[in-house]
């Protein structure tokens, strides 16, 4: 069996954390805004950003729901 090379913690961290903390926060906020804009495109015309944000938040925290695919199984 081949022996794996030793892992370097600094190299592993560098893979995931690019930029300063402020830059990472800005990136996360920008991605959130892009996701909200994409979600708004699926809603009826005239929906405000506030309404879309509320719908998205409500959809995200719906809790556990039964799977519809389980209802299609023969009994």
């Amino acid at each position: 069996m081949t022996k794996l090379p030793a892992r370097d913690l600094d190299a592993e961290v560098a893979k995931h954390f690019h930029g300063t903390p402020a830059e990472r926060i800005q990136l996360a906020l920008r991605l959130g805004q892009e996701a909200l804009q994409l979600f708004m495109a699926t809603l009826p015309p005239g929906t405000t950003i506030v309404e879309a944000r509320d719908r998205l938040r409500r959809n995200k925290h719906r809790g556990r729901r039964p799977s519809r695919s389980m209802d299609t199984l023969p009994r």
Side-chain angles (χ1 to χ4, degrees):
M1 183 146 91
T2 309
K3 195 166 187 161
L4 295 174
R7 294 176 69 178
D8 180 21
L9 183 59
D10 291 332
E12 293 293 322
V13 169
K15 286 183 195 176
H16 301 286
F17 297 104
H18 298 284
T20 65
E23 291 170 341
R24 292 195 302 267
I25 289 172
Q26 289 298 320
L27 176 62
L29 291 174
R30 185 177 56 79
L31 290 175
Q33 285 293 350
E34 288 177 9
L36 182 60
Q37 293 296 327
L38 184 63
F39 180 69
M40 277 191 66
T42 67
L43 298 176
T47 304
T48 66
I49 290 179
V50 173
E51 292 171 334
R53 187 178 298 125
D54 288 341
R55 284 186 184 189
L56 193 58
R57 187 177 299 128
R58 192 171 47 241
N59 288 347
K60 181 180 177 186
H61 297 291
R62 292 180 74 136
R64 290 187 61 121
R65 297 180 301 276
S67 172
R68 284 189 239 156
S69 63
M70 294 304 289
D71 294 336
T72 62
L73 294 175
R75 296 186 183 189

